[in-house]
Amino acid sequence: MGTGNLIIIGGAEDKTGECLILKTFVGISGASEANIVIITTATEKPVEAGSQYKSLFIGLGAGNVSFLDINTREDAGSEPNARLIAEATGIFFTGGDQLRITSILGGTRVFEMLHRAWKAGVVIAGTSAGASAMSRTMIVEGNDNDPARKCTLKMAPGLGLLDRALIDQHFHQRGRIGRLLCGVAENPSILGIGIDEDTAIRVYPDDHFEVIGSNSVVVVDGKSIKSSNVSELMPDENLAITNVVLHVLPAGYGFDMTERKVLRVEEKQWK
């Protein structure tokens, strides 16, 4: 298995019904043979979040589950914590604040072991803030339910596990199409991927993803943009952008991020 085995969740995933997304993560992690590590760095309530996901994963048949409360860069430099990451078959990032993830983990032993695990094909999942942090460049903040305006988007370096895309989460529920369009207008070579709540993309090592969950994923492809005013003066004016390509993909669809093509895929169920 190669680099890039990811499950990126738009937040508010089902935790009481069929739990399809979380069940998929547990299944790929090894089910009864799984050794899952939950990283609660993003949240200011690590014990509550860690305990909730631990119970869920055990209830879904995971063999061994632990959670790491990495709250400081000292914690992230700890050799025992790095060893737990190295031994994991599945790693899960909770929601919260994505800037906490990158500012606390960046450049540490845990960060190094996380990248080693990813390169070895270990499945890494993240929900909400944990989803945003997956990409090389991540959205930190921007206006919800607002027309696309220039210079309202704040971005920062992410974990670098997804190279050619910009992730946004709680997508339709919080009206985030405007800010994703801004992000793509600023860097048309990357794909904008907006993931709804209770929806995820499973990214495979060959750089294609498949949609799972109950809602949709929006893909904004800026390669075809003919013009935009994103780099011009008057930073608060409305964004102009022409000839952008947009796809809306529910479960049963996927996307080849190298060829930039929509795929039809067979839906998989984890029993």
Side-chain angles (χ1 to χ4, degrees), residues 164 177 180-181 184-185 187-194 218-226 241-247 255-262:
R164 291 175 285 209
I177 183 68
L180 190 61
L181 284 167
V184 173
N187 189 354
S189 67
I190 61 173
L191 290 164
I193 302 175
V218 168
V219 178
V220 178
D221 186 350
K223 213 170 179 182
S224 60
I225 290 173
K226 286 191 172 172
I241 182 170
T242 68
N243 217 54
V244 67
V245 174
L246 188 144
H247 309 281
F255 195 80
D256 182 328
M257 292 186 286
T258 303
E259 298 295 327
R260 301 200 174 207
K261 289 194 309 192
V262 173

Side-chain angles (χ1 to χ4, degrees), residues 86-102:
E87 292 166 356
T89 62
I91 299 164
F92 187 90
F93 284 88
T94 68
D97 177 355
Q98 54 266 42
L99 204 50
R100 278 181 58 82
I101 296 174
T102 54

Side-chain angles (χ1 to χ4, degrees), residues 6-29:
L6 305 172
I7 296 180
I8 307 176
I9 309 165
E13 68 282 354
D14 175 23
K15 301 180 185 70
T16 57
E18 193 184 352
C19 303
L20 176 64
I21 294 168
L22 299 179
K23 192 185 290 184
T24 300
F25 169 67
V26 170
I28 299 166
S29 299

